[in-house]
Amino acid sequence: MPYRRTPKTQARLDLQRGEILAAAIALLAEVGYAGCSMAAVAARAGVGTGSVYRQFPSKADLVVEVFREVVSREVAAVEAAAAQGDVRERVVRVIETFAGRALKAPRLAYALLAEPVDAAVEAERLVFRRAFRDVFARTIADGVARGLLPSQDAEATAAALVGAGAEMLVGPLAGDGGPDTIPHLVTFTLRALGGTDDV
């Protein structure tokens, strides 16, 4: 007869999994992907390394789960920013939210956006970019439908904007940027959409 976990055992494992994920997120925010070893995560979580491996078979598996956890929060924040206002306000709020949150947690954002990672984590990074692209695309499509933006492929424009935005943030996230990063990014985005700064 196969072993079945009791509800109490499953609850304990779920709690431990959450603690391991929280430890990995904290480490990623402090030392990035390269420093986020399984042993370091175990030490931060207060568990044995074997416990981490029982929950996550490899570092890539763990960091993929971390990416999903963190990105879901970031996408939710950007979606909330895009929910109200006219087209210009929504575009500006999406940019300010995306970039502002990244700049408040630069090491974590750098890991999410640009740090060299394993192939499985890189694949998750593409999912992350597509989620942001979709938020932008909905806003752009609405602007086009209302006649407030020129006719364009909303998804293609959105993908280009996410790529450009991530590239513009790499330097500042690595400590090489000034206080004008977000205003420059907003201006670039509004112009790239085919309008003026006053769209």
Side-chain angles (χ1 to χ4, degrees):
M1 187 172 184
Y3 169 73
R4 296 171 113 186
R5 291 175 180 161
T6 65
K8 186 176 180 180
T9 299
Q10 188 60 54
R12 182 179 57 78
L13 289 171
D14 290 345
L15 177 63
Q16 184 181 72
R17 184 181 183 88
E19 290 169 347
I20 291 168
L21 281 172
I25 291 169
L27 270 175
L28 203 63
E30 289 174 14
V31 297
Y33 183 76
C36 191
S37 70
M38 299 292 264
V41 170
R44 174 63 68 94
V47 300
T49 305
S51 295
V52 178
Y53 277 105
R54 276 192 290 279
Q55 295 277 2
F56 303 95
S58 70
K59 175 180 173 178
D61 290 315
L62 171 59
V63 178
V64 162
E65 193 66 30
V66 166
F67 266 46
R68 289 177 183 157
E69 178 83 17
V70 174
V71 168
S72 67
R73 295 180 205 161
E74 298 306 307
V75 171
V78 169
E79 285 177 333
Q84 296 178 348
D86 61 28
V87 170
R88 183 188 187 286
E89 290 169 340
R90 288 161 60 198
V91 167
V92 169
R93 283 175 31 191
V94 165
I95 290 291
E96 289 176 342
T97 301
F98 175 76
R101 288 172 68 90
L103 292 170
K104 284 179 183 172
R107 194 66 193 86
L108 179 60
Y110 183 78
L112 293 172
L113 291 170
E115 187 174 3
V117 293
D118 292 333
V121 181
E122 184 62 41
E124 197 62 30
R125 182 178 279 160
L126 293 176
V127 173
F128 166 48
R129 286 186 174 225
R130 288 185 194 117
F132 283 106
R133 176 205 64 194
D134 292 346
V135 176
F136 260 124
R138 287 191 294 271
T139 304
I140 294 165
D142 183 52
V144 170
R146 293 169 183 260
L148 300 172
L149 294 174
S151 179
Q152 57 194 289
D153 182 321
E155 196 169 283
T157 301
L161 289 173
V162 169
E167 186 64 27
M168 283 182 73
L169 286 170
V170 168
L173 292 176
D176 181 25
D180 294 331
T181 298
I182 294 176
H184 288 324
L185 188 51
V186 167
T187 298
F188 166 79
T189 301
L190 292 173
R191 291 175 180 172
L193 289 172
T196 67
D197 300 354
D198 300 318
V199 163

